[in-house]
Amino acid sequence: MFRTRLISGIALVVIALAVILTGGWVLNAVLMVISIIGMNELYRALKIEDGKEWQKDRRADTKTGVKTAAATSPLAATGYVFCIGYYFLVFFDLNAYTVTVMLALLILLMAVYVFTYPRYRTDQVSGAFFGFVYVAVMLSCIYELRAMENGVYLVWLIFLASWGSDTCAYCVGMLIGKHKMTPKLSPKKSVEGAVGGVAGAAILGAIYACAVSSHLGGEANHVVSFAIICAVGALISMVGDLAASAIKRNHDIKDYGTLIPGHGGILDRFDSVIFVAPVIYYLAQALVGRF
């Protein structure tokens, strides 16, 4: 299991390096695909996809014994279409229409709810809207940060604050972790691990600043700003990780999917990145170059 997880993790890092360094339409397209897959995983967890409320259960063909996949839920399909449209807006720098798109999505979801009544429940409609914002909109901040001036250097703060803090928290927790942080939600996480994750992320941010400051220009010392950004990002990363765990526990599932061997689904691997991306995006605009 560890070997599979390690190989998958290395493959993810290599793919992330290639895609983010390329940037542009490649990054936009990859994030769009990841968002759709993530939304699909969440919609399945929330019973928006493959639910008895809107479609017959998957059935086994009596002759072949092969299961046939159910068609996409109209409610979920609406979310996917708006996800694609939203990433086109982001790519063409039409962010002024973001609120308009979100309002249009809400209205259309309610229209599907009304005209297919009683196929869906209100919690499924709100879940479809939540999935769009939670996955597609928040993940798009990776592209937004990459598109900023010096974004090719700043965008890595997202992964230092999420995946970097997660690794540091795990190591510290294994070594000295004694006090449970959220015993009911995630028994293995400790207060000591959380502190180690935040401190580790800050140190990683400071080291990274020393490595790339010469490429950022200006007279500012980026060590402090990068350390602060990564520390705050690490705190938010824990919220994202625990939020994803809470959703899984609420719906009695172990993993969101099986796409990434040893890790689970997209949401299992990007749960913290989803929360960290918008925070780092706005902190980078506010703090970089201020110290």
Side-chain angles (χ1 to χ4, degrees):
M1 181 66 177
F2 175 76
R3 183 180 178 183
T4 301
R5 187 178 177 88
L6 178 62
I7 293 173
S8 297
I10 294 173
L12 278 175
V13 171
V14 172
I15 293 171
L17 278 168
V19 171
I20 293 176
L21 287 175
T22 303
W25 69 268
V26 173
L27 176 59
N28 184 275
V30 170
L31 286 173
M32 181 179 69
V33 172
I34 290 174
S35 295
I36 291 174
I37 296 172
M39 288 171 65
N40 178 265
E41 292 174 352
L42 184 61
Y43 286 170
R44 288 180 183 277
L46 301 179
K47 306 302 181 186
I48 297 169
E49 285 276 35
D50 285 348
K52 291 181 179 179
E53 296 81 1
W54 65 271
Q55 180 76 29
K56 292 181 180 179
D57 290 328
R58 293 186 175 189
R59 57 183 175 78
D61 188 285
T62 55
K63 293 183 180 179
T64 64
V66 177
K67 290 185 177 181
T68 57
T72 298
S73 156
L75 200 64
T78 303
Y80 302 147
V81 170
F82 269 77
C83 174
I84 294 171
Y86 174 74
Y87 271 93
F88 272 99
L89 287 181
V90 170
F91 181 72
F92 289 106
D93 198 22
L94 299 173
N95 295 349
Y97 296 97
T98 297
V99 175
T100 303
V101 169
M102 294 175 68
L103 291 175
L105 173 61
L106 181 58
I107 292 171
L108 193 54
L109 289 174
M110 292 303 294
V112 173
Y113 173 56
V114 168
F115 291 111
T116 60
Y117 189 86
R119 184 174 290 179
Y120 298 106
R121 302 186 307 272
T122 51
D123 61 300
Q124 290 174 299
V125 178
S126 58
F129 184 78
F130 165 72
F132 170 76
V133 178
Y134 173 55
V135 183
V137 175
M138 294 179 79
L139 269 182
S140 71
C141 290
I142 296 176
Y143 177 86
E144 298 279 20
L145 183 55
R146 173 64 177 83
M148 283 175 54
E149 182 181 1
N150 296 318
V152 69
Y153 301 107
L154 299 176
V155 71
W156 299 106
L157 294 174
I158 294 173
F159 300 97
L160 287 175
S162 53
W163 294 349
S165 68
D166 185 52
T167 301
C168 293
Y170 176 79
C171 294
V172 174
M174 288 291 291
L175 290 172
I176 61 173
K178 293 182 179 180
H179 302 86
K180 302 299 181 183
M181 186 168 67
T182 54
K184 291 185 178 180
L185 183 56
S186 188
K188 294 182 179 181
K189 294 187 184 301
S190 65
V191 174
E192 292 84 358
V195 174
V198 174
I203 294 170
L204 287 173
I207 294 172
Y208 181 66
C210 293
V212 303
S213 284
S214 60
H215 300 285
L216 298 178
E219 301 298 327
N221 183 352
H222 300 287
V223 172
V224 175
S225 59
F226 277 30
I228 293 173
I229 290 170
C230 284
V232 175
L235 286 170
I236 301 301
S237 171
M238 295 176 201
V239 177
D241 187 19
L242 292 170
S245 297
I247 294 173
K248 288 191 287 187
R249 286 186 177 274
N250 279 162
H251 296 278
D252 298 318
I253 58 175
K254 184 178 183 298
D255 294 316
Y256 283 104
T258 58
L259 181 66
I260 308 172
H263 294 269
I266 287 294
L267 294 184
D268 294 298
R269 182 64 275 182
F270 287 85
D271 50 4
S272 57
V273 173
I274 287 172
F275 267 64
V276 171
V279 173
I280 300 296
Y281 171 59
Y282 288 109
L283 283 176
Q285 295 184 74
L287 297 180
V288 172
R290 298 297 177 88
F291 296 92

